[in-house]
């Protein structure tokens, strides 16, 4: 059974793409599901029992799972890992239970907090995360123009990122109730995401002028944002686009936020590494611009006539 190719879920390439799905139960039932879901939507893995399946969902080895038993089908979801993929798993489990004429019971293993059960605040965090990287860069370029202020801009953007991460996390966690993790860890992760946007922006402007800043902004707004998978989770995007989205700061920042806020840091290493590399790349661009300026100044000094 696969997702209907003409359904709204498939619009614009949306729908499960090689999503890791766990199954457990009698061998015959598991084999039948593996054969039925042999397309590109799901990557089915068999587990020894329901406890192992639940642990796989908690550890992010699976986006959800199906447990087949004499009393029906138990569907395990993780809405905090992606609302749409969880809905797809629920629908899949209900359909398979209907084929067997048994009931289906849904258990949300990793839910959103009760104050925001649909994760509305998480969807609303996308633009603050991006603008939290763009606006500080714009402000610092205006207040501290010229190559002589590169280090001042770098220090300023780090301070802005830390403050912005703390502020956005406070609103999402204490104001809206969307997040449910360690506040300081989550805020530092968001701050890293904002820095991974702002510092490359500053580096591009320092080396290529406002044209470089503009190109970077367009890429992040019109490519990084829609491919971030912040609201859907990465498995709801086509494979290649999903990979690209997770290699850009918005996608990596969203994945890091999800890992810290809902999974106790499980799976945070990859996106943190991506953000760290973007930050270092931005710093490298700024120092390349600084070296170019110093080299030009040295040549001009050497060409000046002696008095």
């Amino acid at each position: 059974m696969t997702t209907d190719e003409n359904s709204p879920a498939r619009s614009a390439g949306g729908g499960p793409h090689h999503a890791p799905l766990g199954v457990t139960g009698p061998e015959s039932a598991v084999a039948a599901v593996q054969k039925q879901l042999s397309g590109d939507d799901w990557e089915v893995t068999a587990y020894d029992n329901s406890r192992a399946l639940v642990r796989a969902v908690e550890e992010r080895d699976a986006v959800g799972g199906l447990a087949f038993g004499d009393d029906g089908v138990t569907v395990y979801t993780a809405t905090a890992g992606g609302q749409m993929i969880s809905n797809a798993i629920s629908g899949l489990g209900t359909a398979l239970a209907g084929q067997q004429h048994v009931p289906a019971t849904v258990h949300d293993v990793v839910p959103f907090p009760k104050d925001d059960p649909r994760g509305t605040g998480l969807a609303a965090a996308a633009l603050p995360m991006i603008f939290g990287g763009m606006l500080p860069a714009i402000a610092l370029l205006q207040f501290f123009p010229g190559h002589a202020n590169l280090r001042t801009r770098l220090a300023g953007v780090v301070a802005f990122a830390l403050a912005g991460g703390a502020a956005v996390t406070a609103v999402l966690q204490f104001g809206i109730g969307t997040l449910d993790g360690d506040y300081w860890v989550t805020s530092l992760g968001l701050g890293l995401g904002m820095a991974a946007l702002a510092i490359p922006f500053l580096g591009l402007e320092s080396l290529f002028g406002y044209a470089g800043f503009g190109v970077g902004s367009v890429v992040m707004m019109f490519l990084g944002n829609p491919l971030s998978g912040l609201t859907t989770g990465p498995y709801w995007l086509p494979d290649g686009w999903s990979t690209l989205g997770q290699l850009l700061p918005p996608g990596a920042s969203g994945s890091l936020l999800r890992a810290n806020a809902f999974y106790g840091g499980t799976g945070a290493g990859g996106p943190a590494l991506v953000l760290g590399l973007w930050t270092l790349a931005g710093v490298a661009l700024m120092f390349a611009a600084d070296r170019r300026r110093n080299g030009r100044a040295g040549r001009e000094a050497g060409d000046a006539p002696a008095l």
Side-chain angles (χ1 to χ4, degrees):
M1 178 179 181
T2 59
T3 305
D4 184 0
E5 295 292 332
N6 297 318
S7 69
R10 279 296 186 185
S11 62
H17 291 84
H18 298 285
L21 180 73
V23 294
T24 187
E27 291 186 7
S28 58
V30 171
V33 171
Q34 288 177 321
K35 181 178 180 181
Q36 200 167 357
L37 303 180
S38 59
D40 294 332
D41 292 352
W42 307 99
E43 295 288 344
V44 181
T45 300
Y47 290 88
D48 294 336
N49 49 54
S50 296
R51 181 176 299 178
L53 176 54
V54 170
R55 185 165 57 251
V57 176
E58 293 173 339
E59 295 176 354
R60 309 188 75 180
D61 293 326
V63 295
L66 307 171
F68 295 88
D70 296 334
D71 55 348
V73 178
T74 303
V75 183
Y76 295 104
T77 63
T79 53
Q83 181 73 52
M84 298 181 76
I85 200 79
S86 294
N87 291 343
I89 295 171
S90 297
L92 176 63
T94 301
L96 290 174
Q99 292 176 5
Q100 301 177 16
H101 305 289
V102 296
T105 304
V106 179
H107 290 290
D108 198 349
V109 178
V110 188
F112 284 112
K114 61 180 181 180
D115 290 338
D116 188 13
R118 296 185 178 276
T120 305
L122 189 65
L127 288 181
M129 287 166 55
I130 292 179
F131 284 118
M134 293 178 60
L135 294 181
I138 294 172
L140 289 165
L141 289 171
Q142 294 298 316
F143 287 114
F144 301 99
H147 287 282
N149 291 310
L150 288 181
R151 289 172 175 79
T152 302
R153 294 179 195 168
L154 181 59
V157 82
V158 170
F160 267 114
L162 292 174
V168 172
T169 303
V171 171
L172 292 177
Q173 187 155 342
F174 305 124
I176 303 175
T178 299
L179 307 183
D180 187 22
D182 183 279
Y183 168 77
W184 292 109
V185 172
T186 305
S187 66
L188 286 174
L190 271 179
L192 176 60
M194 292 179 184
L197 277 167
I199 294 176
F201 284 152
L202 291 178
L204 288 170
E205 192 281 334
S206 300
L207 201 58
F208 305 110
Y210 277 100
F213 185 96
V215 170
S217 300
V218 168
V219 170
M220 295 306 168
M221 284 293 296
F222 296 102
L223 194 62
N225 183 36
L227 296 181
S228 67
L230 182 62
T231 57
T232 63
Y235 292 108
W236 200 256
L237 298 171
D239 294 331
W241 292 111
S242 174
T243 301
L244 175 60
Q246 294 303 299
L247 292 175
L248 294 174
S253 186
S255 293
L256 182 59
L257 173 62
R258 201 185 296 275
N260 288 333
F262 307 117
Y263 289 90
T266 300
L273 176 61
V274 170
L275 295 174
L277 291 175
W278 275 96
T279 302
L280 291 176
V283 172
L285 289 174
M286 295 180 72
F287 276 99
D290 193 41
R291 286 175 61 88
R292 186 176 67 178
R293 180 186 68 87
N294 292 335
R296 184 180 300 160
R299 288 192 300 271
E300 291 175 352
D303 293 339
L307 297 178

